[in-house]
Amino acid sequence: MALSFDPDTIQLPKGHFIGGRYVDAKGVLPMRRPSDGITYAEYPVADADLVDQAVSTAKQALKDSGWATRRPRERTNAMHRWADLIEVEGETLARLEAVSSTRLVGQLIQGDVAVTAEQIRFFAEFADKEGSDLVPTANDSLGMIMTEPYGVVGAITPWNFPLSMAGWKIGPALAAGNAIVLKPSEMTPFSTLYLAELAVRAGIPAGLINIVLGDGPTTGNAMTGHPDVAKISFTGSTAAGSAIMANIARTGVKPMTLELGGKSPQIVFADADLTLAANAIANSILVNAGQACVAGSRVIVEQSVAEPLIAAILARMQTIKPGPTWDETSDYSPIISERQIHRIDAIVQAALDAGAECLAGGKFLDRKGYFYAPTLLSNVGQDSPAVMEEIFGPVLTLQTFTDEEEALMVADHPTYGLAAGLFTRDLSRAIRLTRRLQAGTVWVNRYSRSRDHILPTGGYKQSGIGKDLGREAYQANRKSKSVLINL
Ligand code: NAD
């Protein structure tokens, strides 16, 4: 099947998606394709009135459809039909995602599209399996913990994995009986719009999923501060998460889950399978050109095996095939924007000025669009900007250690605690260190999620509050009521 396409021929969904239809929206801000830097569309910015329209539509749709009160299996079945349609329409979704984002069309069908459909099915199954609990009380009374949906949930997603981030948010909210208003990133909104359109085509009542386009300060603020948005689910940078907390504190209290930034370490011991470790490390920084929250960007290796590990990582870095996201033979992504590629380079140059040694990359790739060479920096201290800052690009730093205590000390980051990788054949050590690592996820002898979706994801420290994925994400979309009845 030929997936490559001409980006100029793609029909983009037009406007916000509210109440099951596209609402005409005037584009105001230019959108550029990361693969060639060409301006190809303009995006609209929903103001407070439009956000209000989306929220009231969601509220009314909940009431009219009885989504929260109908037999839960009906929610499950409708969501399964939606997941089936996502797969049928996989090519269209993949192209809409690839045209604006950094995701490669050749990887999207088996990757992001399949994962999104699986996530919808995974969460759909909670609707008729997770319920209220009877609790132990005296014999003359009955105690219950009842759970209920929140009503209208507000979600905000980043640009880096638009489809699967939308699946993380919409799947549990909908299965739990809520309606949702989602604001995708202003840089990558199109696949999310089409995802919502497919939901309506699959029989999910119109108005339960609404997509509003816009930026953080206008649209995002209006959403997080809206009195009828009962809960916020956010994925993005720590800075934006902090601004959202402040806005919620200012406009009224409501629960929120925040999935934020990271600067994750990968610790390699001398007894590890070095080939496996080098591949996992290189892949974690090459996939999406390192533009992943969990990118394992800090390699911390036992001194005695630093040399062979570096050689293996460098060899893997040389195999990349950069190319436009719409060419199915490309295997290395562009950087999302001109601003971001310059930010990556500025941090690398600052690290070099502070004494880092560049073992690979450290420069733009000489081609159209925003491509940055896979970069490996050694001779960096804990205070190097390349070690401290979330770079969100294809940049690895390399530090060494001589014992476990030193490895843990170097791995600990003052701000972030999203994920960590451990490579060792010593099981006791793996468990000992896993217990002490300050991270919401620890991967041992691998550096990637499984596709089971059951393990929750979220951060320690300023990498976030609450979890996406797993049972916890479903539960976070329901509130609980304690009931005590005298018999
Ligand atoms: P970003 O914070 O700039 O934007 C994310 C979203 O928030 C966008 O939709 C943006 O419009 C919106 N936004 C920005 N300011 C806002 C405000 N004040 N109020 C409401 N909404 C606002 O992040 P980004 O550049 O799109 O994505 C990259 C970041 O996301 C990285 O820090 C990365 O680590 C993080 N991320 C985290 C996870 C996770 O699971 N922890 C997953 C993916 C990405």
Side-chain angles (χ1 to χ4, degrees), residues 352-368:
L352 294 175
D353 290 347
E357 188 186 343
C358 187
L359 302 181
K363 56 177 192 232
F364 294 64
L365 287 182
D366 186 16
R367 54 178 305 129
K368 257 197 306 195

Side-chain angles (χ1 to χ4, degrees), residues 126-137:
F126 282 100
D128 66 346
K129 294 178 187 63
E130 282 273 311
S132 305
D133 283 330
L134 281 184
V135 296
T137 48

